[in-house]
Amino acid sequence: MTSCLHYSDDWDVMGDEDWDEVYDDPKVIAPPHTARHRVKHGILEDCYIQYCVNPSRWITTDESRIAGWYHSCMTIGPDPKPIRTGATLHTVCITQGPLSSYKLYARVYGGKDDQDMNVHHKHTVKRAKMVSLYDFMLESFKHKGHCVVMDSAYMSDAMAQIGRNHWGINMVGTCQSDRTGAGKLGKADVKAKEVVIGSHESLMYQHNTKPLLYTVWGDNNFVKTLSNFHSPVVVRGGMKRKKRNRSTKRRDREFTDVDCPIQQKDYCETYHLIDKGNGAEAKYDLSTESHLHGWSPKLAARYFNMNINNAYKIHCYLFKKHHPTKVVMPLKECIHNLTHSLLQRGDTMRKRGGGAPPKATKDITTSSSVDGRKIRSDSVRQPFTSPTATVHTATPQTPVSDLTGRALRYRKASSKLRKERQPGRVHISVPVVVKKNRATSYCKYHKCPGKNTGAKRKRAYMSKYACEDCSLEKGVDFFLCNSTKSVGGTLVVVDCHTAYHVEKKLYTAPSPVSTAESSIISELTE
């Protein structure tokens, strides 16, 4: 199971050469005609079965789906009810009592390669796959007085006769008309015998010599059941149903006691419990869109969930027995605690280095923040440190942004890709397309020479250049002058971009040492 959970699809079954040296138990060798997937998945099916419970009289069988892709040998299930979107999992569970939905048996149908079912059963004339399947599933329950509830995917007159005469098992379940041995029986024939949908009347067919009873019940649709141990008895007021008004076609809000056959009552009171168990086990399956993993990890995840569900059923029973006044922990919290416990077992693994959590502001002198986190020495992408970088405190982020969240994400992704290709790319002045007279296009440097023009309203120069990193950090286009300006009819260089970063100690001042102020005639002009 551990191998499956780690996505090794074709692992060695149990080892061949050193089996006797490693294991005390003798190695079980599968017959030579067994399908390959059965040898592999049979280990998973047998590993979770618990023998510490004694099932009650009523047990239920059902098929469920393990999600997968369509083009696979394990996709299509056995007739007459194939599941074409995943592997078909056949299960047996306890129906009644505190351990209801506790799984007793599980088997996955392997499609065309499942040679165990593609044979003629000794009790059938034709190749009845469902009879061969039930021969495996009910092996430990034969001749013990159990009652098995199933649906129309399994039930037939052949199954009922073999279960009664050869296996000693009582069977009841829904059944299709053409699988009862009584010939074709459609809706027209049923209506001709005065059974109407919604009347909750019953029509029964009993075999002359064999203990087979086929019943048609007029609920919201015709419900057809077959049993090999019930008598033709109708229970007065045996079930509560919401009747449908024949004129308005709407159901009543209140429940009404209606008559029903006794075999229908037994079926309705038991079969729905296995669906609840299957739903609880399917919550943590692998993604249905996963084409990278084979069937083994998907099956292992479902079998692991079965183990958890079985353990939770026993836990609830024992907890309520010894602590009747306390509330049982929900299944989800139990799974979280179990996951934490399982992850603490085994050999120790390399852990992430300790330290303080990363700061809220990013270290802009490197291509990736390393505050409080240790980077592996064999990592392909090592952090780049600028040779002229100094210790600094970055400008805190502001929640105000004139960029949409989507545009900001795209900018960050593009900037990250550029830095991976150019590790030294830090605080580059880039042009930004702005509208004319846009208020946010004024230079953000508080010593911009545009404020020294003598104007009544001091404003910095307009700029179309913004700092790449500062804009992503603040969430807005952070404009800084880095161009030529016309002063008295003469073009001069204005470089607020360099002066701002030197003042914030994000750059090292070039030689000769410049001041933090940006002048009309800067050292870059020379």
Side-chain angles (χ1 to χ4, degrees):
M1 184 178 291
T2 303
S3 300
C4 287
L5 290 174
H6 286 81
Y7 314 120
S8 56
D9 193 17
D10 295 315
W11 72 92
D12 186 9
V13 178
M14 281 293 184
D16 293 326
E17 297 81 5
D18 56 349
W19 175 273
D20 296 331
E21 300 177 1
V22 178
Y23 304 99
D24 297 331
D25 300 331
K27 183 178 180 181
V28 178
I29 302 177
H33 64 276
T34 305
R36 178 185 177 186
H37 81 276
R38 179 56 52 207
V39 177
K40 181 167 58 176
H41 299 146
I43 302 173
L44 296 176
E45 293 168 354
D46 296 336
C47 67
Y48 81 94
I49 296 178
Q50 307 291 336
Y51 298 96
C52 59
V53 299
N54 184 20
S56 59
R57 180 190 177 193
W58 291 89
I59 58 178
T60 309
T61 61
D62 189 22
E63 79 284 348
S64 59
R65 182 182 74 112
I66 300 178
W69 58 94
Y70 181 79
H71 299 287
S72 173
C73 64
M74 296 183 64
T75 296
I76 300 177
D79 294 333
K81 191 179 179 182
I83 297 178
R84 302 183 182 275
T85 55
T88 310
L89 179 66
H90 304 275
T91 54
V92 181
C93 78
I94 298 176
T95 303
Q96 297 177 344
L99 299 181
S100 61
S101 77
Y102 183 99
K103 292 297 184 297
L104 300 170
Y105 182 88
R107 189 182 191 276
V108 174
Y109 177 68
K112 60 182 180 180
D113 295 332
D114 198 343
Q115 299 179 8
D116 299 340
M117 293 178 59
N118 293 336
V119 296
H120 293 285
H121 194 267
K122 59 182 178 180
H123 298 308
T124 59
V125 178
K126 298 182 179 180
R127 184 183 299 175
K129 292 185 178 181
M130 289 304 179
V131 176
S132 301
L133 174 64
Y134 264 51
D135 198 11
F136 305 138
M137 296 174 61
L138 304 179
E139 180 63 33
S140 59
F141 307 104
K142 296 177 180 178
H143 304 287
K144 295 183 179 179
H146 288 286
C147 298
V148 177
V149 184
M150 64 191 77
D151 65 351
S152 59
Y154 306 109
M155 195 58 172
S156 65
D157 59 335
M159 181 73 74
Q161 294 180 56
I162 295 174
R164 177 67 178 259
N165 300 327
H166 299 281
W167 298 341
I169 297 177
N170 299 327
M171 294 183 175
V172 62
T174 56
C175 185
Q176 300 177 10
S177 300
D178 57 353
R179 303 181 67 195
T180 60
K184 187 176 182 180
L185 184 62
K187 291 185 177 181
D189 298 329
V190 176
K191 290 181 179 180
K193 299 182 181 297
E194 298 180 354
V195 176
V196 183
I197 292 178
S199 63
H200 296 97
E201 298 178 353
S202 302
L203 180 63
M204 300 183 181
Y205 297 86
Q206 189 170 17
H207 199 279
N208 293 332
T209 59
K210 299 176 182 178
L212 296 178
L213 180 64
Y214 180 67
T215 302
V216 180
W217 184 46
D219 195 22
N220 296 320
N221 199 349
F222 291 124
V223 183
K224 306 169 184 179
T225 56
L226 179 65
S227 174
N228 65 357
F229 69 101
H230 281 97
S231 301
V233 177
V234 175
V235 181
R236 300 301 177 186
M239 294 182 62
K240 292 183 178 294
R241 301 291 293 172
K242 291 183 178 179
K243 290 186 175 181
R244 187 185 299 274
N245 193 306
R246 296 185 181 182
S247 59
T248 61
K249 305 298 181 182
R250 294 182 180 180
R251 294 187 182 183
D252 299 336
R253 292 187 176 183
E254 303 296 333
F255 288 94
T256 306
D257 294 334
V258 298
D259 302 340
C260 66
I262 187 172
Q263 64 189 53
Q264 181 68 38
K265 178 179 174 62
D266 292 339
Y267 174 83
C268 293
E269 291 178 350
T270 55
Y271 189 77
H272 68 281
L273 298 174
I274 193 173
D275 291 331
K276 294 182 179 179
N278 292 336
E281 294 165 1
K283 289 183 178 180
Y284 301 97
D285 285 351
L286 292 179
S287 173
T288 58
E289 300 297 331
S290 173
H291 287 218
L292 301 178
H293 306 130
W295 281 114
S296 297
K298 293 181 175 66
L299 294 177
R302 175 59 69 87
Y303 289 135
F304 196 76
N305 292 338
M306 287 184 183
N307 261 330
I308 294 176
N309 185 65
N310 287 353
Y312 183 70
K313 291 297 180 180
I314 297 179
H315 164 73
C316 292
Y317 172 75
L318 296 178
F319 189 90
K320 292 179 181 179
K321 179 179 179 180
H322 297 284
H323 307 283
T325 59
K326 297 182 179 180
V327 180
V328 184
M329 182 183 298
L331 176 60
K332 188 175 183 179
E333 295 185 16
C334 289
I335 293 177
H336 291 169
N337 294 336
L338 176 62
T339 304
H340 179 76
S341 175
L342 294 177
L343 292 177
Q344 304 302 316
R345 301 183 183 182
D347 299 335
T348 57
M349 300 176 61
R350 176 184 56 81
K351 297 182 179 180
R352 185 187 294 271
K359 298 179 181 179
T361 56
K362 183 179 179 181
D363 184 0
I364 58 177
T365 62
T366 63
S367 61
S368 60
S369 177
V370 295
D371 294 336
R373 291 293 183 264
K374 183 177 179 181
I375 304 298
R376 290 178 50 176
S377 59
D378 57 346
S379 177
V380 176
R381 298 177 180 175
Q382 293 295 326
F384 170 80
T385 304
S386 175
T388 61
T390 58
V391 180
H392 67 280
T393 303
T395 306
Q397 297 183 7
T398 58
V400 181
S401 173
D402 60 348
L403 297 175
T404 62
R406 183 178 182 182
L408 188 61
R409 288 196 300 270
Y410 282 137
R411 280 201 187 184
K412 289 183 178 180
S414 300
S415 177
K416 181 180 179 181
L417 181 60
R418 288 193 295 266
K419 287 184 178 181
E420 291 176 355
R421 297 174 178 175
Q422 306 173 16
R425 186 185 181 96
V426 180
H427 288 283
I428 302 297
S429 182
V430 295
V432 179
V433 178
V434 296
K435 297 180 180 179
K436 189 176 181 179
N437 298 328
R438 184 179 176 187
T440 55
S441 62
Y442 287 99
C443 179
K444 301 296 183 181
Y445 183 42
H446 67 98
K447 294 182 180 180
C448 178
K451 295 184 178 182
N452 301 326
T453 59
K456 184 179 296 185
R457 182 179 180 183
K458 292 186 177 181
R459 278 189 175 180
Y461 280 129
M462 298 282 289
S463 176
K464 64 178 181 180
Y465 287 89
C467 178
E468 188 176 40
D469 289 344
C470 292
S471 298
L472 295 179
E473 180 183 359
K474 300 177 183 301
V476 295
D477 289 325
F478 196 80
F479 292 95
L480 293 169
C481 297
N482 189 10
S483 60
T484 59
K485 300 294 181 181
S486 178
V487 179
T490 305
L491 291 177
V492 294
V493 176
V494 180
D495 189 7
C496 295
H497 184 275
T498 301
Y500 171 80
H501 290 89
V502 169
E503 182 182 280
K504 297 298 182 180
K505 297 182 180 181
L506 303 179
Y507 280 171
T508 299
S511 180
V513 179
S514 66
T515 62
E517 296 185 9
S518 174
S519 60
I520 296 293
I521 307 298
S522 68
E523 66 277 0
L524 296 182
T525 308
E526 301 174 359

